Amino acid sequence: MSMPVNVSQLYLGHRASLTRTEGLRSTTYHSQWRLFPLGAARRPESGSVVLETVCGHCHVPVKVVLDSGPTAVQKKQNRRTLGWITLLAGVALIVTACLIGGGGAAPGLAGLTGLAAVIGSFGVRSAGRAYPGAALDRNQPADTRNPHRIFVR
């Protein structure tokens, strides 16, 4: 069982700039972030706690949910398990689509849904591996959440 990230390694990031580069067939976005430590916060003994911090760039109050060690480990494990279940369900849909065969929309729809589930499972599993035990509080306005993000250094 892995331990959650130490709070001293967590930073509140503010997107200072976003540049867009047009290519021949693609568009690339590059963000530059300013990082600010979460301060002298400590993980709670159990459950989660909401920290009120102020962004050092825009001086807007931002709420950060900080999980306790056991809660962070449990959330990380839950996300990885969900990723594996999604992967297995996607593979089962693809196999079912191959077995159904024939014409019609059902095999194609099952195969595409299975493929989407398999692709999505990799994102869910990697997000589970990377979960630091802290996140922005969803109970704050979107214009407060959008330019901010939690980083681990």
Side-chain angles (χ1 to χ4, degrees):
M1 207 185 267
S2 64
M3 291 300 298
V5 174
N6 191 340
V7 179
S8 64
Q9 296 175 299
L10 297 176
Y11 289 81
L12 176 68
H14 180 95
R15 182 182 293 131
S17 69
L18 177 66
T19 55
R20 177 180 170 171
T21 306
E22 294 285 336
L24 214 47
R25 293 186 180 176
S26 65
T27 303
T28 304
Y29 294 94
H30 179 72
S31 297
Q32 290 186 333
W33 296 86
R34 297 212 37 214
L35 301 181
F36 304 95
L38 287 182
R42 296 185 63 157
R43 289 196 184 276
E45 293 295 320
S46 64
S48 301
V49 65
V50 177
L51 300 173
E52 295 262 351
T53 186
V54 177
C55 176
H57 184 75
C58 63
H59 305 293
V60 170
V62 178
K63 294 178 184 176
V64 177
V65 178
L66 187 61
D67 296 328
S68 68
T71 303
V73 169
Q74 185 63 43
K75 284 184 178 181
K76 183 182 272 196
Q77 185 62 36
N78 288 348
R79 290 175 187 200
R80 292 181 70 192
T81 302
L82 178 64
W84 282 109
I85 290 170
T86 307
L87 176 68
L88 293 175
V91 169
L93 278 170
I94 292 171
V95 168
T96 302
C98 291
L99 293 177
I100 291 175
L109 184 59
L112 288 176
T113 304
L115 183 62
V118 167
I119 292 170
S121 73
F122 292 108
V124 173
R125 286 186 307 150
S126 67
R129 258 185 253 117
Y131 182 66
L136 296 176
D137 188 10
R138 294 188 180 272
N139 297 326
Q140 58 188 337
D143 59 340
T144 301
R145 283 192 325 262
N146 285 342
H148 298 102
R149 194 168 134 192
I150 300 295
F151 286 91
V152 178
R153 278 184 104 186

